[in-house]
């Protein structure tokens, strides 16, 4: 069987389409003070912090106009597109709301017990004591989609305008200064034609623009190209599929597992593990996270999670329970070396996942995103007070913060796992003990789409769904609350005739069953096949961008409506 790199079949997409000067006549432009793209932890922490700072700055508030701060969010509501573990370090919440008692935080509980297991297909072997990266005492289990709703409510109470169901589709740049964003059109048909309810997008001009788009930033990556901001290594990602279960018996600890059903051999490059977190007395969440640098085209994270639930150790936790939520999302995993070389350009800053601020060895990003949002707010207020759009102070703040310190310490910890589970684990442990000093240096990382894909046997391991413990992709998408119009334009850019290995990669990888190879081509063994796209299933996880395609922005409001992921 040949091995083929998805990067050889780049999507029909030009990042330059996502950047340009304002086009609406001046009198028709919507003017806001600060435009924040993305109502996730980064964007909403930024919005809240801005309002707190503006309380002491009446002159600046006046200058920012009627809408001093606006958050532009493509989900139906803030939180609709958010999915995370979500085992949260409390530092950012403490800093943002110092007077708010923890009893009022949107969390299920504080973590008091940790457990780590290595799974084989039958056994669960405890790792004692849990490795340092897996110690979560003092953290809080939350749901990031609930956290998003909470932060949005706080922001609205403080005077922020949340423009939900609005996709920012273009970064407005004039004379190399960012001037805001353009919102996407609404009411277009499959071929892009204007339907009866068509509404064109608008230029939203701002004195400062914060890109807090999260994983796979559409405008962010266009800005990285345009302003030459790319980091030392390419962006890369892991995919996570998560379920929430109502269970009769409460879980008393946070659990992480490694090993099965991922295969140990370095040739498969299957790096990842699971999380199982208690959510109060009657719910647990379970998720599997896997690096998108794997090489078997038949690997499917959704199906690997279904298989994992049949393990006796895990089946017991879910016994007598009912699945109540499902979702999928990618996590940037390039860490320190994938962070952009600058976080600010005139008129704009980037914060959170969009800037690769995730510590993969500890699977933490929420508090980094929130801290970054708050630093951005501070730098923006200081600059705007001087009538300046130079936000470089934000760069400095991040450089001197725990965000950069932690990511620097873990900068090489993901890379050794290409050497296999045991050797990779041993090297990463040495790095953890020495806080990244040994062996130090820069272990280069590759683009996920540069890994050559082969048709392997991962797909043969998966189980037939029984609709009690295990489920297929389509029923799962239904549970995500996805309500994208069937006649919406296709927002997923791929080449639609590609080698079988690439097509199979997309079919298996996509947790939402967006891609299909026609049956007759599957059966006749053709080397090159067509890929059919059902874009309305897409839950905007972002994985296609990692593996050779490009997720662009659908109409605002499309996609999942996560409630508790
Ligand atoms: C499976 C999984 C498990 C994880 N587990 C943990 C964990 O246990 N603990 C932890 O701390 N972290 C965890 N993380 C990471 C954490 O969730 C992220 O680091 C964090 O959510 C990043 O916040 P953000 O605001 O940068 O981005 P996001 O949370 O992704 O928010 C971005 C928002 O921007 C919106 N948006 C994007 N582009 C546009 C646009 N152009 N126009 C309008 N809106 C836009 C999106 O809809 C979204 O609402 C996990 C992540 C995943 C996927
Ligand atoms: S089509 Fe959507 S859901 Fe499927 S992999 Fe791509 S981004 Fe994820």
């Amino acid at each position: 069987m040949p091995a083929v790199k998805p990067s050889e079949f780049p999507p029909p997409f030009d990042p330059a389409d996502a950047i340009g000067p304002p086009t609406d006549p001046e009198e028709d432009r919507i003017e806001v003070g600060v435009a924040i793209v993305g109502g996730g932890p980064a964007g909403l922490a930024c919005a809240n912090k801005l309002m707190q700072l503006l309380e002491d700055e009446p002159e600046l508030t006046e200058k920012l106009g009627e809408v001093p701060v606006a958050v532009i969010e493509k989900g139906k509501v803030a939180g609709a597109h958010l999915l995370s573990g979500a085992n949260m370090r409390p530092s950012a919440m403490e800093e943002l709301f110092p007077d708010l008692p923890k009893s009022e935080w949107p969390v299920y509980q504080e973590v008091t017990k940790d457990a780590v297991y290595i799974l084989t297909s039958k056994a669960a072997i405890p790792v004692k004591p849990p490795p340092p990266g897996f110690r979560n005492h003092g953290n809080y289990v939350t749901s990031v989609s609930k956290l998003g709703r909470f932060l949005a409510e706080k922001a609205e109470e403080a005077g922020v305008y949340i423009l939900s169901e609005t996709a920012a589709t273009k970064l407005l740049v004039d004379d190399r200064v960012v001037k805001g964003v353009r919102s996407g059109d609404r009411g277009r048909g499959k071929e892009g034609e204007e339907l009866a309810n068509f509404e064109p997008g608008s230029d939203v001009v701002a004195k400062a623009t914060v890109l807090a788009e999260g994983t796979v930033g559409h405008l962010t990556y266009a800005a990285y190209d345009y302003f030459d901001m790319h980091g030392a290594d390419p962006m890369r990602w892991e995919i996570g599929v998560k379920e929430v279960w109502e269970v009769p018996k409460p879980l008393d600890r946070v659990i992480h597992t490694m090993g099965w059903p991922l295969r140990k051999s370095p040739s498969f490059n299957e790096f990842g593990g699971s999380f199982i977190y208690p959510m109060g007395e009657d719910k647990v969440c379970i998720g599997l996270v896997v690096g998108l640098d794997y090489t078997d085209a038949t690997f499917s994270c959704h199906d690997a999670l279904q298989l994992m639930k049949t393990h006796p150790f895990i089946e017991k936790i879910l016994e007598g329970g009912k699945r109540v939520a499902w979702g999928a999302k990618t996590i940037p995993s390039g860490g320190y070396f994938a962070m952009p070389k600058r976080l600010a350009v005139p008129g704009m800053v980037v914060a959170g996942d969009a800037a690769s601020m995730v510590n993969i060895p500890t699977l933490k990003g929420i508090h980094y995103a929130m801290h970054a949002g708050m630093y951005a707010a501070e730098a923006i207020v200081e600059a705007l007070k001087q009538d300046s759009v130079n936000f470089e102070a934000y760069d400095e703040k991040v450089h001197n913060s725990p965000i950069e310190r932690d990511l620097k310490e873990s900068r090489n910890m993901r890379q050794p796992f290409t050497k296999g589970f045991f050797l990779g684990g041993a090297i990463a442990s040495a790095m953890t003990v020495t806080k990244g000093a040994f062996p130090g240096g820069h272990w280069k990382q590759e683009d996920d789409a540069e890994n050559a894909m082969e048709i392997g046997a991962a797909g043969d391991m998966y189980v037939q769904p029984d609709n009690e413990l295990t489920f297929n992709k389509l029923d799962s998408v239904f549970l995500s609350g996805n309500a994208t119009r069937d006649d919406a334009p296709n927002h997923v850019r791929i080449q639609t005739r590609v080698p079988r290995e690439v097509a199979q990669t997309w079919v298996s990888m996509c947790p939402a069953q967006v891609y299909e190879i026609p049956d007759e081509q599957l059966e006749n063994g053709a080397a090159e096949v067509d890929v059919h796209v059902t874009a309305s299933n897409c839950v905007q996880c972002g994985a296609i961008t990692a593996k050779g395609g490009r997720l662009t922005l659908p109409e605002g409001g499309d996609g999942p409506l996560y409630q508790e992921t």
Side-chain angles (χ1 to χ4, degrees):
M1 282 279 185
V4 189
K5 294 180 179 181
S7 60
E8 289 169 20
F9 302 88
F13 172 75
D14 182 357
D17 292 346
I19 282 203
T23 46
D24 284 345
E26 265 189 46
E27 62 279 14
D28 291 347
R29 295 177 192 167
I30 298 170
E31 274 188 44
V32 304
V34 182
I36 300 172
V37 182
L44 292 167
C46 181
N48 276 290
K49 186 72 186 179
L50 278 167
M51 295 316 285
Q52 292 172 2
L53 295 171
L54 288 175
E55 268 183 27
D56 299 329
E57 305 290 348
E59 220 175 290
L60 176 59
T61 309
E62 178 86 22
K63 270 198 269 176
L64 294 181
E66 265 175 49
V67 182
V69 179
V71 173
I72 297 155
E73 168 55 50
K74 64 181 161 61
K76 261 204 166 29
V77 294
H81 288 180
L82 298 183
L83 180 143
S84 177
N87 184 333
M88 174 180 72
R89 293 246 159 98
S91 58
M93 281 294 285
E94 286 167 351
E95 193 179 318
L96 188 56
F97 302 114
D99 301 325
L100 186 74
K102 292 199 168 86
S103 57
E104 292 180 28
W105 288 11
V107 294
Y108 297 96
Q109 71 233 63
E110 187 177 346
V111 180
T112 51
K113 258 182 171 176
D114 277 304
V116 176
Y117 296 87
I118 295 179
L119 296 189
T120 66
S121 60
K122 295 274 177 298
I125 303 149
V127 181
K128 285 189 180 165
F134 292 100
R135 294 179 198 160
N136 286 286
H137 281 73
N139 293 340
Y140 286 79
V141 178
T142 179
S143 137
V144 77
S145 53
K146 279 194 184 296
L147 178 70
R149 285 166 169 86
F150 172 88
L151 293 173
E153 210 178 287
K154 288 272 175 222
E156 273 182 322
E157 280 167 16
V160 171
Y161 287 73
I162 309 269
L163 310 177
S164 50
E165 297 195 75
T166 307
T169 52
K170 198 170 204 174
L171 190 67
L172 301 180
V173 179
D174 211 1
D175 214 7
R176 299 198 68 79
V177 178
V178 175
K179 299 285 188 186
V181 294
R182 184 169 177 80
S183 64
D185 297 343
R186 305 171 65 84
R188 284 194 183 275
K190 236 185 170 48
E191 305 305 323
E193 74 280 16
E194 296 178 11
L195 303 176
N197 60 345
F198 176 74
E199 279 173 41
S202 303
D203 287 349
V204 180
V205 292
K207 294 186 169 54
T209 301
V210 178
L211 294 185
E213 291 185 287
T215 183
V216 184
H218 184 67
L219 303 187
T220 309
Y221 298 165
Y224 288 174
D225 289 342
Y226 184 88
F227 289 106
D228 184 24
M229 295 166 78
H230 286 286
D233 284 351
M235 282 280 177
R236 52 197 304 224
W237 297 269
E238 329 259 341
I239 184 170
V241 178
K242 173 179 176 176
E243 296 183 350
V244 179
W245 280 69
E246 274 171 7
V247 287
K249 217 172 84 193
L251 182 65
D252 68 346
R253 67 198 63 197
V254 149
I255 296 175
H256 289 98
T257 75
M258 299 178 278
W260 189 87
L262 304 181
R263 294 168 296 175
K264 294 188 282 289
S265 159
S267 62
F268 300 122
N269 229 7
E270 288 173 11
F271 163 81
S274 83
F275 57 86
I276 308 168
Y277 299 156
M279 298 168 75
E281 293 294 299
D282 60 349
K283 285 194 195 120
V284 299
C285 67
I286 176 164
L288 181 65
V289 173
V290 183
L292 282 166
D293 53 348
Y294 64 78
T295 55
D296 183 339
T298 68
F299 180 82
S300 154
C301 187
H302 170 84
D303 292 295
L305 174 63
Q306 304 312 306
L307 173 63
M308 199 184 85
K309 289 186 293 176
T310 65
H311 191 286
F313 172 73
I314 291 168
E315 202 174 352
K316 205 153 182 244
I317 296 171
L318 303 177
E319 201 167 42
K322 180 175 172 236
R323 187 174 77 147
V324 293
W326 172 96
K329 197 162 178 198
T330 49
I331 317 165
S333 61
Y336 177 75
F337 290 121
M339 283 177 74
K341 61 184 171 208
R342 317 178 261 161
L343 294 163
V345 295
M348 183 197 93
V349 299
V350 189
D353 275 20
S356 186
M357 293 175 181
V358 178
N359 195 348
I360 279 295
T362 58
L363 194 62
K364 296 287 176 291
I366 298 171
H367 70 295
Y368 296 124
M370 290 180 70
H371 280 298
M374 288 188 264
Y375 294 138
E378 290 166 1
I380 288 170
V381 166
E382 281 313 309
L384 293 182
K385 268 166 56 182
Q386 322 291 326
D387 285 320
S388 163
V389 290
N390 177 340
F391 306 132
E392 280 172 12
Y394 165 63
D395 240 318
E396 270 310 298
K397 284 173 192 282
V398 174
H399 285 317
N400 298 322
S401 75
I403 303 177
E404 186 150 325
R405 182 201 61 211
D406 292 359
L407 295 191
K408 198 164 181 192
E409 279 178 11
S410 66
R411 67 196 179 282
N412 289 318
M413 288 180 194
R414 166 68 177 85
Q415 297 87 316
F417 285 91
T418 53
K419 297 181 185 302
F421 179 69
F422 291 112
L423 181 56
I427 299 171
S429 296
M431 290 173 175
T432 310
V433 170
T434 62
K435 293 191 185 300
F438 174 81
H442 175 178
W443 292 39
K444 286 295 279 182
Q445 308 179 75
E446 267 197 332
D447 199 307
D448 295 319
E450 287 293 328
N451 289 283
M453 305 305 296
E454 279 183 283
I455 307 274
D460 300 340
M461 295 163 55
Y462 303 142
V463 288
Q464 275 300 325
D466 63 8
N467 296 322
E468 283 189 5
L469 179 64
T470 55
F471 303 88
N472 70 23
K473 290 180 178 178
L474 280 186
D475 290 340
S476 302
V477 173
F478 182 74
L479 204 55
S480 75
N482 192 13
T484 308
R485 273 189 292 130
D486 282 341
D487 63 348
N490 179 4
H491 63 284
V492 182
R493 306 283 166 80
I494 55 161
Q495 289 195 27
T496 50
R497 188 155 178 87
V498 291
R500 168 179 295 263
E501 290 74 12
V502 175
Q504 186 60 52
T505 300
W506 295 339
V507 170
S508 303
M509 172 186 73
C510 176
Q513 202 167 315
V514 167
Y515 310 104
E516 270 170 312
I517 304 172
D519 282 347
E520 70 280 6
Q521 295 183 20
L522 264 182
E523 278 151 25
N524 71 16
E528 234 183 36
V529 295
D530 295 318
V531 186
H532 291 176
V533 176
T534 310
S536 54
N537 287 350
C538 174
V539 292
Q540 301 174 33
C541 78
I544 192 65
T545 300
K547 283 289 202 197
R550 180 88 175 205
L551 172 68
T552 71
L553 291 157
E555 186 174 295
D558 281 355
L561 181 52
Y562 294 138
Q563 307 282 353
E564 207 173 7
T565 50

